[in-house]
Amino acid sequence: MLDIKWIRDNPEALDAALKNRGAAPLSAEILRLDEARRDHLRRLQDLQGRRNDVSKEIGKAKGAGDAARADALMREVADIKGAVQEGEETERRLDANLQDVLSQVPNIPLEDVPVGTDESDNVEVRRVGDKPVFDFTPLEHYDLGEALGLMDFEAAARMSGARFTVLRGKLARLERALGQFMLDNSTGNFGYQEVSPPLLVRDEALFGTGQLPKFSEDLFNTTDGRWLIPTAEVSLTNLVREQILDEAALPLRVTALTPSFRSEAGSAGRDTKGMLRQHQFYKAELVSVTTPENSGAELERMTECAERVLQMLGLHYRVVTLCTGDMGFSSRKTYDIEVWLPGQDTFREISSCSVCGDFQARRMQARYRPSGEKQPPRYVHTLNGSGTAVGRALIAVMENYQTADGGIIIPEALRPYMGGLERIEKDA
C-alpha cells in the first residue's frame, strides 16, 4: 500500500506511474476521499474539545450554585456525546472508503523500469549458456512423459478436472529431486533459512502481500473462510507481519518448498496442454526482508540465487526486466528468468524475482528499529522470488535432456538425488 502522505505531495507522479502501468489516474479521487476524512476529523476534534470545555463549565456552574445553567450545560454535553458517537461512526466509514481505494492502487515502479504495455516491451538483460543441439526434432514435455508412461493427464482429469497432472515412477522422483536440489542450493549456497509454513491462510495474510482484495478470482477459497496459498511468498512474507524487528536481524532470508494453488481465472485457453499452467504445482520460494538501503542489492542477489539453479542444471536461459505494464501488483521492479524449451522452440518463464519496497510492509505493519538511533521504527522492504518453479524446471530438464529414443538424461547435479540414476527410459 502506498503512503497517503506521499500521494498528497506527489499526485502527478502517482498518476504518471499509473499511466505507465496502463491504469487510470486515481490521485483526484484519493485526495477527495482523504480531504473529506480530514475535514471530518477536524470537526470531530472541535466537538470533542467543546465537550471538554463544557464539562469544565458544569463544575463551575455547580460551584456557583447555578443549577439551571448546570442542567443546560449537561444537556449540551449529552447532545455533543451523541454527535461524537455518530461522528466516530462516520470516521470509520470515511477511513474504510479511503483504505479500500488505496488497497487497490498498485506499487510505483522504480525509475529504471522500462515503460511498456505488455511482455513485448520487456527488456532482455542477459543470456546464459547455449541452446542444446539435436539431430532429431525435439518433443514437448507432455509427449515425452506420456510416451514414457510416467505422465498421466487423463487420470488427473478423472479425479480433479483440467490443469492437473499425475506423475509416476522416475518422473515423480525427478520432480521431488528438483525441489530438494533447489532447497539445498538456497540454504547451502545462499544462506536462506528453510521454513515449513502453513498452506492455508486468512484474509489478512493475502491482503498483506497484495493478492486481496483485487485478485480474489485467482485464488481458491475454503468453506471456513481460509485460502490456499498461490505461492509460499504469502506465508513467508507474513512471518514478519505486525512485528518490529531489530536492524541487526536484517536481512532476513527464508525459503520454502510448497505446493501452490491458482485458479488461473485469467488464462482461459492458454497453455492448456501439459504442465506449464496448472492449478497445483510445487515451487521453491525465496523471501527476503531488508532495510530500504539494501533492497536493491538484495534483488540482484536473489536473482543470482535463482540463476544458479539453472546454471547447475546446465540449462540455457535469459533474464529480462519486466516493463511497467507487465509487472505484478506489489512489485517495484521484477526480473523474469526464462528458460529455453526446445520442444516449444522458445523461452518460458521459470522464475520471477521482485522487490516490493515498503508496499507490502505497510499492508502488514512490518517494521524494524534502526540500530543506535533514537527514531521511530521504519517499514522494512520485502522481496520475493522463485528459486525456482519445480514443474517448469521439470519440463526444462525433460525437453533439454531428451534423447532420440525418447529417454531423458539426468543432469549430473540431480543424480545424487536420484540414487545415482543417469537416465530415465520406458520400462520394459
Side-chain angles (χ1 to χ4, degrees):
M1 185 176 292
L2 299 179
D3 183 1
I4 184 62
K5 294 179 182 178
W6 181 87
I7 296 175
R8 290 177 196 143
D9 295 337
N10 302 277
E12 296 86 0
L14 171 63
D15 287 343
L18 292 175
K19 180 180 179 181
N20 288 341
R21 274 183 167 268
L26 283 173
S27 67
E29 173 67 7
I30 292 171
L31 294 180
R32 182 187 67 79
L33 293 171
D34 180 47
E35 188 57 33
R37 176 180 173 276
R38 296 170 77 191
D39 284 345
H40 177 75
L41 284 175
R42 284 190 286 267
R43 292 193 296 271
L44 190 57
Q45 289 169 353
D46 289 343
L47 272 176
Q48 291 167 333
R50 174 59 182 164
R51 180 179 61 184
N52 294 337
D53 292 341
V54 173
S55 296
K56 293 176 183 178
E57 291 179 23
I58 291 173
K60 293 179 182 178
K62 288 182 176 179
D66 190 345
R69 176 166 172 73
D71 288 343
L73 290 172
M74 285 190 287
R75 287 193 296 272
E76 183 178 354
V77 167
D79 291 341
I80 294 174
K81 182 179 179 181
V84 167
Q85 290 175 340
E86 184 178 334
E88 288 173 342
E89 179 61 35
T90 301
E91 178 191 352
R92 286 189 286 269
R93 177 176 55 80
L94 291 173
D95 188 58
N97 290 343
L98 177 60
Q99 294 302 313
D100 181 60
V101 174
L102 286 175
S103 71
Q104 301 190 57
V105 179
N107 207 348
I108 302 299
L110 293 176
E111 291 183 359
D112 62 345
V113 173
V115 176
T117 56
D118 55 36
E119 61 184 19
S120 64
D121 295 315
N122 295 340
V123 175
E124 184 172 314
V125 179
R126 57 184 169 271
R127 294 193 181 196
V128 179
D130 299 312
K131 295 179 184 178
V133 178
F134 299 95
D135 57 5
F136 60 93
T137 301
L139 300 176
E140 294 202 46
H141 68 282
Y142 47 83
D143 289 327
L144 274 169
E146 288 183 321
L148 287 167
L150 302 178
M151 187 175 286
D152 193 336
F153 299 102
E154 291 185 5
R158 288 196 299 270
M159 69 179 86
S160 302
R163 297 191 187 274
F164 290 92
T165 308
V166 171
L167 298 178
R168 303 179 189 274
K170 296 182 180 67
L171 212 52
R173 183 171 184 176
L174 181 58
E175 181 187 47
R176 175 161 55 91
L178 280 162
Q180 297 301 316
F181 165 70
M182 292 169 189
L183 277 183
D184 286 351
N185 176 66
S186 298
T187 57
N189 296 329
F190 286 90
Y192 285 82
Q193 181 186 50
E194 183 177 351
V195 175
S196 178
L199 304 182
L200 289 166
V201 295
R202 300 185 300 182
D203 293 9
E204 296 90 337
L206 285 158
F207 177 85
T209 45
Q211 283 83 7
L212 288 180
K214 194 172 179 65
F215 303 103
S216 60
E217 290 187 356
D218 294 326
L219 307 170
F220 287 110
N221 195 198
T222 65
T223 56
D224 67 352
R226 292 183 176 86
W227 304 80
L228 289 167
I229 59 168
T231 163
E233 170 202 345
V234 177
S235 304
L236 295 178
T237 309
N238 274 277
L239 289 172
V240 298
R241 70 173 297 109
E242 299 171 5
Q243 301 293 304
I244 299 178
L245 308 173
D246 289 330
E247 184 175 357
L250 302 178
L252 177 67
R253 300 182 179 119
V254 287
T255 183
L257 174 64
T258 69
S260 299
F261 305 91
R262 299 185 185 177
S263 70
E264 298 291 348
S267 63
R270 295 175 58 194
D271 300 320
T272 54
K273 295 195 70 174
M275 288 182 61
L276 270 169
R277 198 174 296 275
Q278 300 270 279
H279 289 311
Q280 172 189 313
F281 56 94
Y282 285 96
K283 186 150 70 81
E285 186 71 10
L286 308 173
V287 163
S288 295
V289 180
T290 74
T291 61
E293 295 78 11
N294 294 326
S295 61
E298 188 69 16
L299 175 62
E300 303 300 325
R301 184 185 190 277
M302 179 178 283
T303 306
E304 179 187 352
C305 178
E307 287 186 71
R308 181 64 177 149
V309 170
L310 303 186
Q311 292 166 10
M312 294 172 73
L313 293 176
L315 296 172
H316 176 50
Y317 68 90
R318 68 175 185 173
V319 179
V320 300
T321 304
L322 297 194
C323 71
T324 53
D326 199 31
M327 286 170 53
F329 178 79
S330 298
S331 175
R332 296 204 72 190
K333 182 177 182 178
T334 296
Y335 290 126
D336 266 11
I337 304 174
E338 299 177 348
V339 69
W340 177 254
L341 298 183
Q344 290 194 8
D345 194 35
T346 191
F347 289 101
R348 297 302 296 259
E349 177 197 341
I350 194 171
S351 174
S352 187
C353 299
S354 300
V355 58
C356 301
D358 63 8
F359 187 82
Q360 293 177 326
R362 289 181 180 277
R363 299 168 79 100
M364 297 186 303
Q365 289 301 301
R367 295 172 291 170
Y368 76 98
R369 186 177 288 105
S371 300
E373 298 180 23
K374 293 183 178 179
Q375 58 176 307
R378 302 171 64 191
Y379 286 107
V380 298
H381 278 201
T382 60
L383 303 94
N384 63 81
S386 310
T388 64
V390 178
R392 294 198 173 192
L394 176 66
I395 292 170
V397 168
M398 291 175 66
E399 293 195 9
N400 281 274
Y401 284 92
Q402 62 182 293
T403 59
D405 60 0
I408 301 168
I409 297 172
I410 306 297
E412 289 190 12
L414 296 178
R415 290 176 186 176
Y417 299 88
M418 296 289 292
L421 186 70
E422 299 182 1
R423 176 183 169 93
I424 295 176
E425 298 175 334
K426 187 172 183 178
D427 291 337

